[in-house]
């Protein structure tokens, strides 16, 4: 076996895979350019390309309402506003997620109660959620992290037992499915990000979907023109306020919608490409002593392919630290990484009484967290690592080079351990 690249040997992956994301077809370009030429760059109601994109979500998810927003964050804020949170309400939320899953709860003047993570997927742990239910708990938000869906059957059973609304953050899981149902079809309301890295990319944009008329109408009134709310709001309690609305602007840019229409039409193709790459990764990791494929729970009918996240156990590698394992892979030309963001309970906002917010009181009784309080989320961040979810099928050459890199590293593990011990001494 040749010398490891980290010690000066030849890298096994010589040319990094060249892939493009988002995919932009000539038809996408024409759709955007034609709209720009027509001056179709803002709408008052659900019209034109925004209406078309909303229709694609409604059809795919078989939901009566889809509302395009300016971002996934805006969709989440609209969802929490839509379910009618009140001051003092508690919302169970994953500690390990992107901040936009949780901070809009604070913007609604309700209290996020952070829940620990599953050790295999990093997703919200429903057993732990059970421990945090109080008489003030009103809702739960779940994030389908990295494209691995949350077990919605289980989440919904738990929520029904406690009378909680369920918000789904589907920003990393467009098209993923659990127990045969796509994410975004089971919760009371779901939010998708259409940011540039997401599987349906508008650049900046989001989508709220729901079957609940009141949730939808409140969301329309929060962030859309009177032209939309006056025609679409029919709930008697809301009608008197529909003309004015609630004053924010969360409308999607029509040119972003134009770009996302083609993405949405190609979503199944994207998912298949990523699934092919993930299957190849599974095989490579199965063939490497001390590694296992990225965890996939039994309820998963379709993975969203956002990110491939296996776990690293140093005990399987004679104590070799994850960082050295990753450095050795990177030296071979395999662009492996580790998660960079901490669980939210490790952020000062969740550990200090003072928040910097002066406009409204942040719940004075909320829990302030310390390191180690939600230990499995911290363990997940310590053990997870990532292979990039290449958006196009990887070449045989790239996959062969990657497989060779893992074989070399497994064979050179003892040398890596000696080197690590020497560097530490
Ligand atoms: C990207 C993302 C968001 C926020 O979306 P924006 O469109 O960037 O506002 C929210 N939640 C998760 C899990 C995300 O990955």
């Amino acid at each position: 076996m040749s010398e490891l690249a980290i010690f000066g040997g030849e890298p096994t992956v010589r040319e990094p895979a060249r892939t493009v994301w988002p995919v932009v077809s000539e038809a996408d370009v024409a759709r955007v350019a034609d709209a720009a030429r027509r001056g179709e760059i803002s709408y008052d109601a659900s019209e034109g390309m925004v209406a078309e994109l909303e229709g694609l979500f409604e059809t795919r998810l078989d939901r009566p309402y889809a509302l395009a927003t300016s971002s996934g964050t805006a969709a989440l804020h609209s969802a929490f506003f839509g379910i009618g949170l009140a001051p003092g309400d508690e919302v169970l939320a994953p500690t390990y997620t992107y901040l936009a899953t949780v901070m809009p709860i604070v913007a609604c003047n309700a209290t996020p109660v952070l829940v620990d993570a599953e050790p295999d997927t990093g997703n919200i742990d429903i057993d732990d959620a059970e421990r945090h239910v109080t008489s003030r708990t009103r809702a739960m938000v779940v994030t389908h992290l990295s494209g691995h869906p949350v077990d919605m059957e289980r989440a919904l059973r738990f929520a029904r037992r406690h009378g909680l609304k369920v918000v789904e953050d589907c920003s990393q899981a467009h098209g993923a499915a659990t127990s045969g149902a796509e994410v975004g079809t089971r919760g009371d309301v779901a939010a998708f990000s259409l940011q540039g890295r997401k599987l349906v990319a508008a650049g900046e944009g989001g989508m709220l979907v729901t079957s609940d008329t009141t949730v939808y109408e409140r969301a329309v009134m929060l962030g859309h023109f009177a032209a939309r709310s006056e025609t679409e709001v029919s709930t008697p309690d809301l009608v008197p306020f529909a003309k004015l609305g609630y004053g924010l602007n969360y409308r999607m840019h029509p040119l972003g919608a134009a770009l996302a229409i083609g993405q949405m039409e190609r979503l199944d193709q994207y998912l298949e490409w990523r699934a092919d790459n993930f299957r190849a990764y599974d095989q490579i990791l199965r063939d490497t002593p001390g590694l296992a494929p990225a965890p996939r729970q039994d309820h998963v009918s379709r993975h969203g392919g956002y990110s491939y996240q296996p776990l690293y156990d140093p005990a399987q590698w004679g104590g070799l630290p994850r960082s050295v394992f990753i450095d050795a892979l990177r030296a071979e030309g395999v662009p492996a990484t580790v998660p960079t963001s901490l669980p939210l309970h490790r952020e000062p906002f969740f550990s200090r009484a003072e928040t910097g917010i002066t406009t409204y009181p942040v719940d004075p009784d909320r829990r302030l967290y310390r390191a180690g309080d939600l230990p499995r989320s911290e363990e997940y961040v310590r053990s997870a690592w990532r292979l990039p979810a290449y958006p196009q099928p990887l070449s045989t050459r790239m996959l062969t080079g990657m497989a060779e890199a893992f074989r070399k590293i497994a064979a050179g593990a003892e040398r890596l351990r000696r080197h690590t011990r020497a560097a530490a001494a």
Side-chain angles (χ1 to χ4, degrees):
M1 187 75 60
S2 54
E3 177 68 296
L4 291 171
I6 198 171
F7 299 133
E10 274 291 306
T12 64
V13 178
R14 283 183 206 91
E15 274 173 57
R18 248 193 283 280
T19 54
V20 284
W21 191 259
V23 175
V24 178
S25 70
E26 285 311 310
D28 296 342
V29 171
R31 197 181 280 112
V32 174
D34 291 349
R37 279 192 208 100
R38 287 196 303 271
E40 210 177 304
I41 54 173
S42 52
Y43 301 124
D44 292 341
S46 178
E47 313 169 53
M49 289 169 302
V50 165
E52 193 177 335
L53 183 63
E54 289 172 341
L56 291 174
F57 274 84
E58 287 164 0
T59 305
R60 178 160 186 130
L61 301 180
D62 194 20
R63 293 278 217 175
Y65 305 114
L67 179 65
T69 56
S70 51
S71 68
T73 307
L76 283 155
H77 185 203
S78 304
F80 291 121
F81 187 84
I83 61 172
L85 292 177
D89 286 348
E90 293 176 352
V91 181
L92 300 170
T95 186
Y96 188 57
T97 184
Y98 184 61
L99 61 98
T101 314
V102 176
M103 299 312 282
I105 299 167
V106 179
C108 288
N109 203 3
T111 306
V113 173
L114 299 177
V115 175
D116 209 350
E118 294 177 338
D120 53 344
T121 64
N123 278 340
I124 189 167
D125 177 353
I126 302 298
D127 287 333
D128 190 60
E130 192 85 53
R131 285 189 275 281
H132 301 296
V133 174
T134 73
S135 59
R136 294 164 61 189
T137 312
R138 282 282 313 281
M140 172 169 73
V141 56
V142 303
T143 303
H144 307 289
L145 217 52
S146 309
H148 188 297
V150 168
D151 184 347
M152 286 304 289
E153 292 285 333
R154 199 156 154 244
L156 291 169
R157 261 198 313 276
F158 160 77
R160 277 195 212 103
R161 204 161 58 242
H162 297 286
L164 309 180
K165 296 273 187 210
V166 175
V167 177
E168 291 181 75
D169 183 349
C170 306
S171 300
Q172 299 185 2
H174 310 68
T178 156
S179 306
E182 275 203 16
V183 301
T185 59
R186 305 291 307 278
D188 293 282
V189 53
F192 291 82
S193 169
L194 308 184
Q195 187 267 345
R197 275 186 303 276
K198 308 297 162 77
L199 258 78
V200 175
E204 298 292 347
M207 191 67 69
L208 175 150
V209 286
T210 184
S211 303
D212 184 318
T213 304
T214 307
V215 169
Y216 172 71
E217 293 184 358
R218 281 208 196 99
V220 168
M221 286 172 65
L222 182 67
H224 300 262
F225 274 126
R228 184 157 189 172
S229 47
E230 273 191 309
T231 52
E232 297 195 30
V233 172
S234 60
T235 302
D237 289 352
L238 295 175
V239 167
F241 312 103
K243 179 162 175 287
L244 191 64
Y246 295 131
L248 301 186
N249 174 5
Y250 279 172
R251 292 187 301 278
M252 181 184 283
H253 199 297
L255 298 186
L259 204 54
I261 287 168
Q263 310 279 326
M264 191 64 184
E265 289 170 347
R266 292 190 296 271
L267 176 57
D268 288 308
Q269 175 70 75
Y270 293 161
L271 288 164
E272 280 165 32
W273 284 340
R274 288 172 186 240
D276 286 346
N277 291 339
F278 280 23
R279 263 192 294 279
Y281 289 167
D282 283 350
Q283 193 55 51
I284 292 172
L285 269 56
R286 223 178 270 122
D287 290 344
T288 309
L291 294 180
R296 181 182 293 216
Q297 296 172 349
D298 290 342
H299 62 88
V300 178
S301 329
R302 192 175 204 183
H303 194 287
Y306 188 68
S307 166
Y308 188 85
Q309 305 227 147
L311 302 171
Y312 179 80
D313 177 6
Q316 298 286 323
W317 287 74
L320 184 73
R322 183 183 62 171
S323 58
V324 180
F325 167 75
I326 296 293
D327 287 347
L329 277 174
R330 295 185 67 86
E332 300 294 343
V334 177
T337 54
V338 298
T340 49
S341 58
L342 288 173
L344 292 171
H345 72 276
R346 301 293 308 279
E347 294 286 341
F349 183 90
F350 292 97
S351 59
R352 297 185 190 169
E354 188 49 58
T355 61
I357 292 176
T358 54
T359 303
Y360 50 82
V362 174
D363 185 354
D365 299 326
R366 76 200 173 108
R367 175 172 174 189
L368 299 179
Y369 298 88
R370 283 183 306 240
D373 275 351
L374 300 169
R376 294 201 295 167
S377 65
E378 297 180 19
E379 178 53 31
Y380 181 77
V381 171
R382 273 195 296 275
S383 60
W385 60 286
R386 269 185 203 141
L387 289 172
Y390 288 105
Q392 280 92 45
L394 286 168
S395 64
T396 310
R397 195 182 146 113
M398 175 78 186
L399 288 169
T400 310
M402 288 177 82
E404 178 67 15
F406 282 90
R407 271 200 297 279
K408 254 171 95 177
I409 288 165
E414 181 50 33
R415 170 104 205 267
L416 283 166
R417 284 193 289 273
R418 275 203 309 275
H419 176 78
T420 309
R421 280 195 298 271

